[in-house]
Each structure stands twice: as structure tokens, then as C-alpha cells.
Amino acid sequence: MKNALDLEKPQVGFVIDDGGDERPAVLRDTGNRIELSIVKHDEGQTLLQIVDDDNGENFEKDPQYGACIGFNADYAYTLINCEYSSSRASSGVGITTIIPEQVVTGVARKDLDTIDGMLTSMDGLSQWLGLSRFQWEQEDLKQTLTVEDTPEKEMGWSDGLSYGQKWFIQLRHDSAVVSNQVYLKTFLPDKSWSEHLRVHRLISELMSVADCRTHTYKDMKAYKARPGAALSRKIERDDWRDVLSYTPVVDRSAVDHETTFLFTYKDLSDGGVERWNELCSGCAQGMTILLYLIREFDNLAIETKAVLVGAILECVGWYSIVSNNDTKRMGTRKDRVTGEKRPAPPKFETLLEVLIESFEDDLPFKDSNIWKDRIYDSYMGSKHPDARKMELDEMYYAVMEAIVLVRMWVGGQVGADLKTMKDRLSNDRIGGSLRPHIA
């Protein structure tokens, strides 16, 4: 039986346009995207209307297929959020290549541009949520393995966000296979894919801040109630449809890696997830750079990291000043457009002091003044050609300490205890290399 999630071998089938006509097509996974190629025999005309501009590269979406494209072969698929990539014709045959963002398996529907529910699973989620995998006991020759599902629990946010755990046991002739799925769930009736994904991404990014690693999606499923059916938060397992995607990448072969989090879900306050959402909005520039730095951590030179982390420190310091209405530390600057004076951040040194003060007596490093001098010289020396340059080893320690401080600051903002995070630093991905500097 064909694996419906495996499109590495091209699948030959057909799509149906809005007029009800069948069009031969091929669906395949290239390894970095999913492509649908539609063929049409009609005197060399293509399925795509090309808009002829200066460079001939603009394309107008073919109106014959609507927002969702259904593909039928041995198995049904629905393509979501499609882009028309290319169109060509030769000898009376036209071929149009379409790139979907998501592909829903097992169904061909025209109304899946919005969905009611989404499930995702990602590596590290079980550990971050603090869910037990299983319990094993042995007494003489008797061995007992106990597993228990975790009922869905709300995560204290208005966007219909919850988590749960489901165990699966496959009995065989002389063995048994036990597996589990820890998942996030959004129940947002008739909302776009981007709205659901935004909430799931919010959790994966908060996990990334907690352990300074990216977290791969291992599974994604979508639910859409049938027209006229009553909506219920309790969705049967068979009503969920597997989703193939490269935006974000869903890698079902990914496995969990043991990691150490500075803070976990249990460390968060009741409104911790909502508070993280506020940070991503109110301190958007700083959090965007931080997540980029974490994602590309192993690919960046230390000088680049110094510039990025310096920008993060500026954003965090200024966000704190504005949030606390600390007018004494606000400068003024004339707006270039209106000419009016407006609040402006103070000097970089002052922004560093604001961050340090937020830790009170729980600053993780021995001497804050030494760190301030080193991170100042590292940032300015990497950004300005005439500034004093730091030795690379000194710059390394200053930058790594700064990344730890910002991550702990985020943890404190969402309710985690600073002392607890400080105690976990020795096992942290970055903190472990800073042991001589930890207070």
C-alpha cells in the first residue's frame, strides 16, 4: 500500500478546474518543495495567463482553480496557498508548475483555505512541557510498563491553545511497539493557516529562547468540519488530516534530542504565553533578531554575533524604559519628517544598566562592570571602523554572556524564577562554556 506521506516518487493523477474539466497533473516532492505540474493540450495555450511587463516575470493566478487545488491519484490531496511558479508551452502542450505552501492528505476539498483546528508536534516539546514518557517496573520475572495519556490542557491563552499526550501500542506476535505523541493544538474555527501557525510558532520560538536551539516540526495535522456540521472542540482522531509542508518544514523522521532549558512551561506564570506574545509585539525588533541569532548561531562569525547582540541589547533596554515610563532616562530627538521632538533611547551604556538592574541580586555573572565594558567595546568595535577592537577571546565571552542575559531576561518576563535559571546555567548550551564567569 502506498505511503500517502511519501511524494518522492512523482504521483500521476488529475485536477479538476472550476468548470468541472479534468486536467492531467503530476505531484511530487523535490526535497526542498512540493510541486504540482498541470498539463493541458490545447494548441499550445498554457493554463496560466502571463502578464507581459518589462522583464516578463510577473504571473497572474489562473482563476480556473480557486484558492484550493484538489489532486486525485491513488490518494487524494488538497494544495493550499499556492504560487504559480512557471509556465511553458511546446508542440501543443502547455505545462504549469504550482508550488503550494501546505498539502493536506486524504481529501480533495475546495474550502481548506481556512481550517478549524491544527495539531503540531516538535522535538523537545515533551521535555519542555514536563510530560512523563512512561513508567517501567520490574519484580523478579515480572516486568510492568505503564503509560497514561495526558488529557488536553489549556495553556491559559485566548487563542484556543492547548496541549496533550497520546500513547499508541501496536501488539505483534512476539513483541509490542509503544510510541507517544505530544502535541500542541489550536482550535480557531474558520481561521487562516497563518493564524493557526502563528500560535504554534510562538511556542516553538519560546522553546528556542529557553535552550538556544531551533525545534523541528515532527508532525502537523489539520481539521476542517464538514459544511453544516456542528463544531466541537472534541475532534475524533480520524477527522485529523496529515499535512505536508516546507513552510514550516515538517520532518517526520526527526527525533527528540536531549536538551537543557533555562526555563520550561511549568516555570511560566499563568499569563506567561500571553506575555511572550506581548514581547514579540512590543519588542518585535529585538525578539526577531534574537530568534535569528539562535537559528543561525553556528553559521555566524563572532563579530557578526557581537553586532546582532548589541542591537538586541539596545532594543531590550529601550523597551524596558518605555514600558516603565522611565522618562528620566529618555532622550529626545528631532523627527526628520515632522521636525518635532520625540522620545529617543539614551546612550548604549545606560541601556546596559537598565538590563542589569532588572536582575536585581540575581545577575549570573561575577562582575557586571567588566561585562559592560567588554560588550560595549565588542559591539562598537565590530560596528565602527575607528573604534577600539577587542581580542577575539574577550569578545567571545562578552557576547556569550550577553546572549545568556537576554534569554534570562525573557524568562523573567514570562514568569520564570531568575535564581532557578541561574542554577541551570552550568548545563546550558552557552552557559556551560561560561562556568568561570558564573557567580
Side-chain angles (χ1 to χ4, degrees), residues 130-168:
L131 298 182
S132 174
R133 295 185 177 181
F134 54 80
Q135 294 180 349
W136 178 77
E137 297 177 356
Q138 182 174 2
E139 182 179 349
D140 297 329
L141 298 179
K142 181 181 179 181
Q143 299 182 43
T144 303
L145 180 66
T146 304
V147 298
E148 184 177 353
D149 290 349
T150 302
E152 282 186 15
K153 296 184 178 181
E154 299 294 322
M155 298 185 76
W157 198 27
S158 59
D159 279 333
L161 176 64
S162 59
Y163 70 89
Q165 177 179 219
K166 189 74 175 176
W167 287 92
F168 304 94

Side-chain angles (χ1 to χ4, degrees), residues 352-370:
L352 297 178
E353 291 171 0
V354 172
L355 176 61
I356 290 171
E357 288 172 6
S358 68
F359 284 83
E360 297 180 351
D361 296 328
D362 290 309
L363 193 74
F365 304 120
K366 293 177 180 178
D367 194 321
S368 61
N369 290 321
I370 292 177

